[in-house]
Structures are given as structure tokens and as C-alpha cells.
Amino acid sequence: MIETARTILAEAVNPVSFSGAGLSAESGIATFREPQTGLWAKYDPMKLASPEGFAADPELVIAWYNERRRRAAAAQPNPAHRALAARHDMVHIVQNVDDLLERAGARDVVHLHGSLTRDRCSRCTHRESVDLADPPGLHRCPECHGLMRPDVVWFGESLPRADWTRAETAARAADVFIVIGTSATVYPAAGLIDIARASGASVVVVNVEPGGAPGTQLTGPAAEIVPQLLR
Ligand code: OAD
């Protein structure tokens, strides 16, 4: 199976990767939905990752995101990030909010769910870059005095329009679409898999659990399988 997938990828003209938390799991960053260890098994997403939660207790939300930022700063790209980054013609559509693919050297990364590396104003369009190792505490926008918040997509919010358009265009143009380390349960992001397939792409799924998304299944840890696929 892996040989076939490797050949398809070697011959691909418009390869696209679509990844989730499992891509960064072996860098020590927690996933969301796994029992016991997943973030949403331990924390209430409505308190920590929704506009309502932020309005109710902004200090708590910022403290939680800053802890995630420090962990991301301390983490290193794993062999899967590095193998993906080395494939310079690949578009990487990511749901992760860390910057490990960029730190591995990837050039074309589309962040569908935003990034921990930025704050944005909860009221106006002002944005600031954030040092993950030393993030600021709760503070106000210098332009409108609204509260600054992480520039990530929370429950109930829309995806950034420009990033969605880039991702959808890449999915439609893909001849191979590798789905890595995602439960493919969060829409509209997960709908990109169907868009790619309907547009004629071969779908290859890398996951520790088989059956998350339909496609050629390569079951195992991303840090082992992805470097073999892109060798
Ligand atoms: P999930 O936690 O839902 O799924 C992680 C997936 O990674 C599961 O299918 C695991 O089986 C798989 N996995 C775990 N370790 C792996 C490894 N080492 N190698 C390969 N696969 C592995 O995370 P996502 O699918 O990323 O959204 O979740 C999607 C979105 O839900 C996130 O972007 C976040 C969350 O709520 C927002 O914050 C908007």
C-alpha cells in the first residue's frame, strides 16, 4: 500500500497535504479528541475556545492559550513536518495553530484555524505578532481599546475567508490529497477531503487509527509513515 501511495505522490503535479493535531502529536503537542489525553477530554471548549467563554473570563482564556503557546515554543518539528516541508511543490492546509511546519521550512502553509503566533483585537481588525516563548498577558488594543485575543478560530466562528478560498482552490486542483492526523470531524475544514476527491484527487490517509476519513489507509504514526511516503 505504501509503495503505491509513494509512487502516486512521486508523480503528483499538484500535491496537497491536509493535517490535524496528529501531525504534531509526536512533537509533544496534545490532540483534541483522544480519550484521556485530548484537550477537549480535559477542558471545556466552550469556556476556553468560544467568544462567550472569552467574554465570561478573558484572563482564564489568555492564561490557557499562553500555556499552549509556551508548549508550542518548546516543541520541535518532527520527521513528518520535515518530510512535508522538503516537498516544495506541496500546499499544506493545516488545522493546527502551531508553527511547526513553518519552522521545518514549509513555504506554502494555509492556516484554516488561525495561528498562536498572532493576537487580534476582539473589536477591530488590529493584529499583533506574538513571541510564543514569551506571550503577553491580557491586554488592550492600541487602536480601539478592545481586548486582544489569540488570532485563532473559536467555536461558533467562521474560518478566515482568504485562507478558506486558498484551501478550497488547492483542494480542487489537487491530484493527490494526503490527510494526516485528523479526526476529520470539524467542518467546513473536513469537507475539503470530499472537495478534493470529487475533483479527481487520490486521497491517502495517514492516521494511527484506521477509518477516520475514506481513502487509501496508511495506519501508523505520522512521524514514521510520512517520511517513508515522501522519501
Ligand atoms: P483531533 O484530536 O480531533 O484528531 C486527532 C487525530 O490524530 C485522530 O484521528 C488521531 O487518531 C490522530 N493521531 C493521533 N496521534 C497521531 C500520530 N502520531 N500520527 C498520526 N495520527 C495521529 O484533532 P483535529 O482533527 O486536528 O479546531 O481536530 C480538528 C479541530 O478540532 C482542531 O483544529 C480544533 C479542534 O476543535 C479549532 O480549534 C477550531
Side-chain angles (χ1 to χ4, degrees):
M1 203 93 94
I2 196 155
E3 281 305 324
T4 312
R6 184 158 57 208
T7 306
I8 294 172
L9 265 158
E11 290 170 357
V13 177
N14 290 314
V16 174
S17 76
F18 173 63
S19 56
L23 174 63
S24 295
E26 288 150 281
S27 295
I29 296 186
T31 62
F32 293 96
R33 289 180 182 73
E34 285 172 289
Q36 322 292 327
T37 56
L39 289 176
W40 299 154
K42 292 200 242 174
Y43 303 103
D44 179 352
M46 294 320 284
K47 282 196 181 139
L48 295 166
S50 76
E52 295 79 12
F54 184 64
D57 195 343
E59 296 273 4
L60 176 79
V61 171
I62 296 301
W64 188 70
Y65 272 94
N66 283 352
E67 182 53 32
R68 287 181 64 196
R69 284 170 158 157
R70 288 187 203 97
R71 280 177 200 267
Q76 296 303 321
N78 68 49
H81 295 111
R82 290 198 289 272
L84 289 168
R87 180 80 193 238
H88 292 314
D89 59 348
M90 191 178 270
V91 179
H92 306 285
I93 305 170
V94 302
Q95 297 169 90
N96 292 349
V97 292
D98 66 51
D99 62 347
L100 292 175
L101 258 180
E102 287 94 331
R103 280 164 52 198
R107 295 174 183 171
D108 198 352
V109 184
V110 184
H111 276 275
L112 277 186
H113 291 166
S115 172
L116 294 174
T117 63
R118 296 184 304 267
D119 270 341
R120 74 171 170 87
C121 178
S122 52
R123 231 191 259 161
C124 75
T125 56
H126 178 71
R127 283 179 162 76
E128 293 171 354
S129 59
V130 169
D131 177 355
L132 294 182
D134 186 19
L138 183 65
H139 65 292
R140 290 195 176 268
C141 172
E143 287 173 18
C144 78
H145 226 55
L147 285 176
M148 295 298 290
R149 52 161 279 185
D151 192 5
V152 299
V153 176
W154 280 337
F155 285 92
E157 295 184 326
S158 314
L159 303 194
R161 188 186 298 266
D163 296 306
W164 173 256
T165 302
R166 280 181 67 208
E168 202 182 11
T169 304
R172 284 192 202 290
D175 46 6
V176 183
F177 198 78
I178 339 179
V179 179
I180 305 164
T182 175
S183 57
T185 50
V186 174
Y187 284 79
L192 290 169
I193 304 169
D194 294 327
I195 290 173
R197 185 184 293 102
S199 308
S202 303
V203 177
V204 176
V205 180
V206 178
N207 201 297
V208 280
E209 300 285 342
T216 302
Q217 304 285 323
L218 301 174
T219 304
E224 268 176 38
I225 306 265
V226 175
Q228 288 179 45
L229 257 184
L230 294 171
R231 202 163 59 208

